[in-house]
Structure formats: structure tokens, C-alpha cells
Amino acid sequence: CHEERGIFASLSTEENLRLPPRLARGRGPAMGEAELYAMFPNLAERRASPGMRLSGGEQQMLAVARILRTGADVLLLDEISEGLAPVIVQALARTIIALKRQGFTILMVEQNFRFAAPLADKLYVMEHGTIVESFGAAQLQEKLPVLQELLGV
């Protein structure tokens, strides 16, 4: 799910959701529309709305929902919280937690540390394309001084 979202502006939410085909080698279950609309209720309400009329958060939800429809079991999320209202960011966090519980592998590239850290099992800090720190979620508290220095958090 790349940063630009890739929503087709002239297609409805429902049409955008139906576009991606099932992956030939997808190991995950391809989620149906009812399941996706239950996961993203905003999309159900905006089912007939053109992509260009969706908010940034709704577009992000639609981008994630389209991936889940394919049967992929690995999600690559690039700056998923960028430019979104806090309430939408919280909804996306709840969705990521639910997907992790369902067995999805999620690799997230995110600058919003406060959003990403509670969701992560393993954290990597990159500086100029190089990993400068890595640790498990259980080590987060002890790494806070290092993170303060590196990230200013």
C-alpha cells in the first residue's frame, strides 16, 4: 500500500474495491466485500461515492481494503498515517492490530513513531538509508534514551 494510494478518482468506492484480482499464489484468504465493509464502515457508507470524493483517510482505508481483497498475506505499508486526521490514524491502528491477530505479516515504513511503535513487534531506525538501531518491542522502554537522541521523541 504505497503512499500515493492509487485510487481511481472516477470510479466508485465499490468499483475501486472490486478491481484487484485474487493473487495466483496468495496464501491468505481473499476477504469478501461484506467482511471489508465491516472492517471499514466508512467505506460501506461511501460505497457509491467516486474515489475523488473520499477523504484522505477513506482513500487510505480503500487502498488497504483492495490489498486484503487479493488474498495477500503480507502487507507492505508505506507512510500509512501521513496527512490523516488523528481519529483515522487510530482506526487504522485498530485495523492493523486486527490483521496481525488474523496472521498477516505487516512491514510498515512510518515516520510517525508514536503511531508505529505500539503496533510493532520489531523496530528499526533508519538514517540516510542505513539501519542505525534495531530492537524488539519488549526493549522499547530501555531504548527510549537512544530514540530521543535519534528521533527526538
Side-chain angles (χ1 to χ4, degrees):
C1 183
H2 53 83
E3 192 175 346
E4 290 81 28
R5 300 182 187 120
I7 302 302
F8 292 93
S10 63
L11 299 179
S12 71
T13 297
E14 190 170 43
E15 291 167 331
N16 266 284
L17 189 57
R18 290 181 176 171
L19 276 177
R22 171 101 167 94
L23 295 174
R25 296 179 189 223
R27 293 180 291 165
M31 291 188 186
E33 286 180 40
E35 192 175 3
L36 291 169
Y37 286 140
M39 185 176 287
F40 301 105
N42 291 37
L43 297 182
E45 295 170 13
R46 306 292 307 272
R47 181 179 299 197
S49 297
M52 67 183 158
R53 302 245 186 222
L54 300 178
S55 71
E58 290 166 337
Q59 288 182 13
Q60 193 67 284
M61 290 175 191
L62 180 55
V64 173
R66 287 192 320 185
I67 293 167
L68 296 174
R69 189 160 156 67
T70 67
D73 58 350
V74 176
L75 301 177
L76 306 175
L77 306 176
D78 183 17
E79 300 290 347
I80 194 169
S81 73
E82 185 177 2
L84 302 181
V87 67
I88 299 296
V89 172
Q90 291 171 355
L92 286 170
R94 288 189 300 272
T95 300
I96 290 169
I97 290 167
L99 293 171
K100 282 177 56 178
R101 285 186 187 132
Q102 292 178 34
F104 284 86
T105 299
I106 302 171
L107 175 64
M108 183 167 42
V109 176
E110 183 63 58
Q111 290 186 41
N112 182 345
F113 179 79
R114 296 191 195 293
F115 164 70
L119 302 173
D121 297 321
K122 182 87 174 164
L123 295 99
Y124 297 89
V125 178
M126 291 186 74
E127 191 171 84
H128 304 292
T130 302
I131 295 174
V132 295
E133 191 69 42
S134 67
F135 54 92
Q139 297 173 287
L140 181 58
Q141 288 302 314
E142 71 185 65
K143 291 290 187 175
L144 285 177
V146 174
L147 293 171
Q148 175 66 33
E149 186 178 321
L150 289 171
L151 306 175
V153 294

